[in-house]
Amino acid sequence: MNYDQKILEPNESVNMTDSATTAMNTESGTPKMTARHVDVFYGDKQAINDVSIDVNMDSVTAFIGPSGCGKSTFLRCMNRMNDTIPIARVTGEIKLEGEDIYASQMDVVQLRARVGMVFQKPNPFPKSIYDNIAYGPRIHGLATGKEELDEIVESSLQRAGLWGEVKDRLDDSGTALSGGQQQRLCIARAIAVDPEVILMDEPCSALDPIATAKIEELIHELRGKYAIVIVTHNMQQAARVSQKTAFFHLGTLVEYGETTDIFTNPREEKTRDYITGRYG
Amino acid sequence: MTGATLLFLIIGLGLIAWFFGRLKAAGMQSGGKHSRSALHSLPNYHGWYVALWAILPAAIFLAVWSFASPALITDAALTSPAAAQLPQDAFARAAILSEARAIASGNQVNAFNPLSQSMVEPYRDAITYYQMIGTVAALLLVFACGVYAWLQIKPDLRARTKIERVTMLVLLLASLIAIVTTVGIFLSLVFESVRFFSMVSPIDFLFGTEWNPKAVAGPRGETGFGAIPLFWGTVFIGAIIAMIVAIPLGLMSAIYLTQYAPAKFRSWMKPILEVLAGVPTVVYGYFAALTVAPALRDFAVSIGISNASSESALAAGVVMGIMIIPFVSSMADDSIAAVPSAMRDGSLAMGATQSETIKKVLIPAALPGVVGGVLLAVSRAIGETMIVVMAAGLAANMTANPFSSVTTVTTQIVQLLTGDQEFDSPKTLAAFALGLVLFIVTLLLNLIALRVVKKYREAYE
């Protein structure tokens, strides 16, 4: 703990990220989501310490770091899923297209429709494949009739690359699919409400390599249509799917930059140590 | 020597046997303080081995003997010269013999029948004789088996394994007692019901619509045992009115407790609900009969229902429903809590509100468990007795008017069996037939409910 604080003063880290993000903004337009000086507490314990980061529309952003470093916690702040944990407290500022998502006039239901989420373990509802996809459009009233809903279901499944596999059995239970198909179903379900940002919390950690490859391919295809943030333990995966990488350690953001830079030429020694497998 | 004294003596001897067994085994323990013992088992186990050998065969013998000896004693008494004067009529004979036996064993002082007095002496002799045989045989068994076991003690005797096996058998017996008793109750119900059905046709009983058991004074096969009004009353109160109250309230309370309640509130609310489930049903009975029923009657009269009874199906059903709420709530609570939180997070992350998540994801996912819980609740409600006895009334009406009085299977069983009754009249036996029907129905409901709940649990594991 002391060691970490010594080499990484909070101010230092902020200055670094601010300069880094400003540099990137000039390259890729205005950021979709911005976070400034975010702290997260679980009761008395601080899980996130002064994190500032920008997420861009046209790139996939990967959060990497050892277990317990706060990357999932930070991800869950971005669509306020931490609200479901009574003892969690978030300070600082997170904006979606300039709107503060923690402001009192922000409707959390609207927010989550705009910032979708895919979880670590596939969690389809115990309903039919069709109803799983139609769930979001129905609660948000996105379709006016049966045909429109059918269209949304088909296009969502097509975008998730699942349509060909399930089009003849839309009435089967979503839980009857294989693990990889279930995860793509969950991605299709998130797409169906037409979000702007998709947050993925270790979406492949429960899947085999083939299913993982399919999800990664899907992430490639979805890039540009949605701002994607992916949390992963797997550094090769981060290198494969992302354009931007953020390295978290013990609740602080150590380094954030172009994925190629992070993996080939990291500025921070800690990042280098983690990427080369010296600890983590 | 009485049976109890003998038993204590045997146990005392067993303790002595334990001591000797342990002593012998301890003597075989060789080597220094920390070297591995030459014995297979610890000396204690050897002690128990000898003690059990000394006690168990003798105890089993005593149990068998206490069943067999009365017949032997009677036989012996009948060979005495006094027995020649006994009447030939089997019934009178048995009465005299049982009286004589009671005097001989000291349970009765004076004989009512002089013939009994003459039989007392032969009985007393026979009892003394057989008691002596029993005592001597039991003590011999204690010594023989104890010495046998003591001689068996060798370093490689697997005393521990054998003791473990005896322990296992004792536990098995303990677990069988509840099951065997239930089977016994069921069989007694079946036998008495068969006697009943030899007097009243099962068709008349199960499908007859007139219940008036007092009318059976006439010839055989007379009606008045049509149980349909009772079945209807039971279903009306237990499965319809009580569930209309208990299901929505129980479910809503479970939803509040699992989804909305702050952890602190939940931590004291849930135990309170569970305590409510333990309130004696007779207390609910008071409440139904003295508070709810009069209030409902007054209400019914005030809205113009003139024939409202002071004992109503509604009063009993509503109070029974209230009694069942904690039960339904706790089952529903468990089912909802068993739905993985990933399901809830998935729905919330789609932008669903909390109530949408509950309605569209949690309840459907928890439904099988909730249904199982409701079935268990129904089975409890139809077997419930005190509330209906106190509040539902005795009139066997076939009516769907909740303000009128109806009667249930359990109420009628109580009515048929309380007071002085002959135990071979169809009126009394009808109680067993009703009990049998109730037993079978609740058993089936429980089976279905447990299967539903189990299947649902598997789905999430």
Side-chain angles (χ1 to χ4, degrees):
Chain A
M1 227 19 196
N2 285 334
Y3 165 80
D4 295 317
Q5 280 168 353
K6 209 175 275 172
I7 59 161
L8 205 104
E9 297 295 325
N11 291 338
E12 231 176 66
S13 117
V14 171
N15 292 340
M16 182 275 297
T17 42
D18 275 352
S19 57
T21 46
T22 335
M24 274 177 298
N25 289 347
T26 52
E27 290 166 24
S28 48
T30 49
K32 192 78 190 170
M33 290 188 88
T34 58
R36 289 295 175 272
H37 309 296
V38 173
D39 292 320
V40 181
F41 301 87
Y42 288 128
D44 297 333
K45 199 177 148 276
Q46 187 160 11
I48 293 287
N49 186 4
D50 199 14
V51 168
S52 300
I53 200 166
D54 288 357
V55 170
N56 294 304
M57 190 67 195
D58 58 354
S59 58
V60 175
T61 307
F63 290 177
I64 62 170
S67 296
C69 68
K71 55 194 190 302
S72 288
T73 298
F74 185 71
L75 190 77
R76 289 169 69 92
C77 291
M78 295 173 73
N79 69 344
R80 289 182 59 178
M81 280 303 283
N82 277 337
D83 290 11
T84 61
I85 303 164
I87 57 164
R89 193 159 55 81
V90 181
T91 61
E93 182 189 77
I94 301 179
K95 284 183 173 171
L96 172 63
E97 291 201 317
E99 276 179 87
D100 184 357
I101 66 170
Y102 281 90
S104 56
Q105 67 267 26
M106 171 57 81
D107 181 5
V108 69
V109 165
Q110 290 302 319
L111 169 70
R112 288 179 189 153
R114 291 171 68 189
V115 184
M117 190 161 197
V118 175
F119 294 84
Q120 192 168 351
K121 239 182 102 194
N123 57 350
F125 304 131
K127 300 167 178 286
S128 72
I129 293 170
Y130 185 96
D131 286 340
N132 260 284
I133 307 293
Y135 183 80
R138 277 182 183 141
I139 57 176
H140 293 296
L142 298 183
T144 50
K146 171 83 178 132
E147 280 153 44
E148 214 171 322
L149 194 60
D150 287 350
E151 248 169 62
I152 294 177
V153 169
E154 183 178 339
S155 66
S156 306
L157 284 169
Q158 252 160 0
R159 282 195 196 178
L162 198 59
W163 177 250
E165 290 160 65
V166 302
K167 66 171 186 282
D168 298 323
R169 48 183 184 131
L170 290 174
D171 290 333
D172 285 10
S173 172
T175 51
L177 296 172
S178 74
Q181 287 173 326
Q182 286 188 14
Q183 195 61 299
R184 278 181 284 150
L185 181 69
C186 292
I187 294 174
R189 189 174 72 184
I191 292 173
V193 292
D194 200 21
E196 295 156 46
V197 183
I198 300 178
L199 309 174
M200 299 187 178
D201 189 359
E202 297 180 38
C204 301
S205 65
L207 304 181
D208 65 55
I210 294 171
T212 300
K214 283 201 171 148
I215 302 276
E216 288 179 6
E217 203 179 307
L218 177 58
I219 293 172
H220 271 300
E221 281 161 19
L222 296 178
R223 180 163 77 95
K225 302 187 188 83
Y226 312 97
I228 295 176
V229 183
I230 177 171
V231 164
T232 178
H233 266 304
N234 181 332
M235 281 176 289
Q236 286 76 23
Q237 181 170 61
R240 282 193 301 264
V241 301
S242 71
Q243 287 73 48
K244 300 261 161 43
T245 295
F247 172 58
F248 283 78
H249 186 244
L250 292 170
T252 55
L253 177 62
V254 177
E255 189 169 349
Y256 179 40
E258 295 291 331
T259 299
T260 44
D261 291 346
I262 296 273
F263 279 90
T264 54
N265 186 23
R267 273 170 299 171
E268 297 288 328
E269 195 176 341
K270 216 177 273 198
T271 317
R272 192 189 334 267
D273 285 350
Y274 182 68
I275 282 161
T276 52
R278 218 164 295 167
Y279 76 95
Chain B
M1 196 183 296
T2 68
T5 328
L6 186 58
L7 200 63
F8 280 121
L9 182 65
I10 290 174
I11 291 172
L13 289 173
L15 290 180
I16 295 170
W18 179 83
F19 179 74
F20 278 109
R22 192 182 190 284
L23 200 66
K24 182 176 176 189
M28 290 173 178
Q29 238 172 349
S30 55
K33 227 178 175 182
H34 295 291
S35 71
R36 208 177 152 74
S37 167
L39 286 173
H40 168 270
S41 311
L42 291 175
N44 256 340
Y45 283 108
H46 290 275
W48 281 115
Y49 178 72
V50 177
L52 286 176
W53 260 110
I55 294 172
L56 284 182
I60 292 168
F61 166 78
L62 272 188
V64 174
W65 186 248
S66 69
F67 277 110
S69 62
L72 292 174
I73 290 169
T74 308
D75 281 353
L78 285 174
T79 57
S80 72
Q85 305 161 21
L86 287 177
Q88 287 306 305
D89 174 44
F91 190 72
R93 205 182 163 97
I96 291 170
L97 285 179
S98 74
E99 195 177 13
R101 167 190 297 239
I103 296 169
S105 48
N107 294 337
Q108 196 177 330
V109 183
N110 290 315
F112 177 71
N113 190 323
L115 269 177
S116 306
Q117 197 59 55
S118 68
M119 282 302 290
V120 168
E121 235 8 78
Y123 246 114
R124 198 166 280 158
D125 291 345
I127 288 174
T128 319
Y129 177 68
Y130 279 105
Q131 247 181 14
M132 208 174 67
I133 291 185
T135 309
V136 170
L139 292 180
L140 276 180
L141 261 177
V142 171
F143 281 108
C145 296
V147 168
Y148 165 77
W150 188 78
L151 289 175
Q152 291 254 302
I153 294 181
K154 290 182 212 80
D156 61 349
L157 175 70
R158 305 194 162 220
R160 189 176 53 177
T161 324
K162 293 180 185 193
I163 298 295
E164 291 290 328
R165 203 172 300 154
V166 172
T167 314
M168 193 270 285
L169 277 176
V170 170
L171 296 179
L172 177 71
L173 275 180
S175 68
L176 281 181
I177 282 178
I179 297 172
V180 168
T181 312
T182 313
V183 171
I185 292 172
F186 180 70
L187 287 182
S188 83
L189 278 179
V190 169
F191 286 133
E192 301 294 335
S193 304
V194 166
R195 282 175 70 191
F196 173 72
F197 287 128
S198 70
M199 300 177 200
V200 175
S201 136
I203 309 272
D204 288 348
F205 175 72
L206 289 175
F207 301 105
T209 55
E210 201 206 326
W211 180 260
N212 189 11
K214 286 195 175 66
V216 181
R220 277 176 131 232
E222 188 156 325
T223 51
F225 281 109
I228 287 286
L230 273 52
F231 297 152
W232 164 247
T234 308
V235 168
F236 191 39
I237 292 181
I240 299 177
I241 300 179
M243 289 305 130
I244 286 176
V245 173
I247 293 173
L249 289 179
L251 204 55
M252 287 193 275
S253 109
I255 289 171
Y256 177 73
L257 284 179
T258 55
Q259 302 302 318
Y260 291 98
K264 241 188 203 151
F265 183 72
R266 181 179 156 86
S267 72
W268 58 265
M269 193 63 197
K270 227 189 150 199
I272 287 181
L273 268 179
E274 272 151 22
V275 166
L276 279 186
V279 172
T281 57
V282 69
V283 175
Y284 284 106
Y286 287 140
F287 177 59
L290 302 180
T291 310
V292 179
L296 282 174
R297 186 202 46 210
D298 294 346
F299 170 74
V301 170
S302 75
I303 60 168
I305 303 170
S306 55
N307 62 348
S309 158
S310 65
E311 291 171 322
S312 66
L314 193 58
V318 165
V319 174
M320 197 187 279
I322 291 170
M323 181 192 83
I324 299 282
I325 288 173
F327 191 74
V328 173
S329 163
S330 151
M331 292 293 291
D333 189 321
D334 291 348
S335 319
I336 293 174
V339 176
S341 62
M343 219 65 91
R344 184 167 155 242
D345 285 353
S347 172
L348 291 176
M350 300 287 302
T353 64
Q354 199 162 8
S355 75
E356 281 167 339
T357 301
I358 292 165
K359 256 189 321 215
K360 295 189 174 159
V361 176
L362 290 180
I363 300 282
L367 197 61
V370 172
V371 170
V374 165
L375 286 181
L376 284 180
V378 170
S379 121
R380 243 195 91 170
I382 65 174
E384 165 52 36
T385 311
M386 274 330 286
I387 293 175
V388 284
V389 166
M390 294 171 84
L394 297 172
N397 290 326
M398 284 267 278
T399 171
N401 174 6
F403 290 105
S404 74
S405 158
V406 299
T407 192
T408 69
V409 172
T410 49
T411 313
Q412 287 305 315
I413 292 177
V414 171
Q415 286 303 312
L416 292 171
L417 288 183
T418 45
D420 284 339
Q421 308 282 357
E422 308 160 56
F423 262 81
D424 49 359
S425 80
K427 198 182 148 191
T428 324
L429 292 174
F432 291 96
L434 288 174
L436 184 67
V437 172
L438 198 60
F439 188 96
I440 291 173
V441 170
T442 49
L443 192 72
L444 283 180
L445 273 176
N446 283 357
L447 275 180
I448 296 169
L450 289 178
R451 178 152 302 186
V452 169
V453 171
K454 185 164 165 255
K455 202 172 163 195
Y456 161 71
R457 289 274 141 82
E458 281 164 359
Y460 285 120
E461 273 160 18

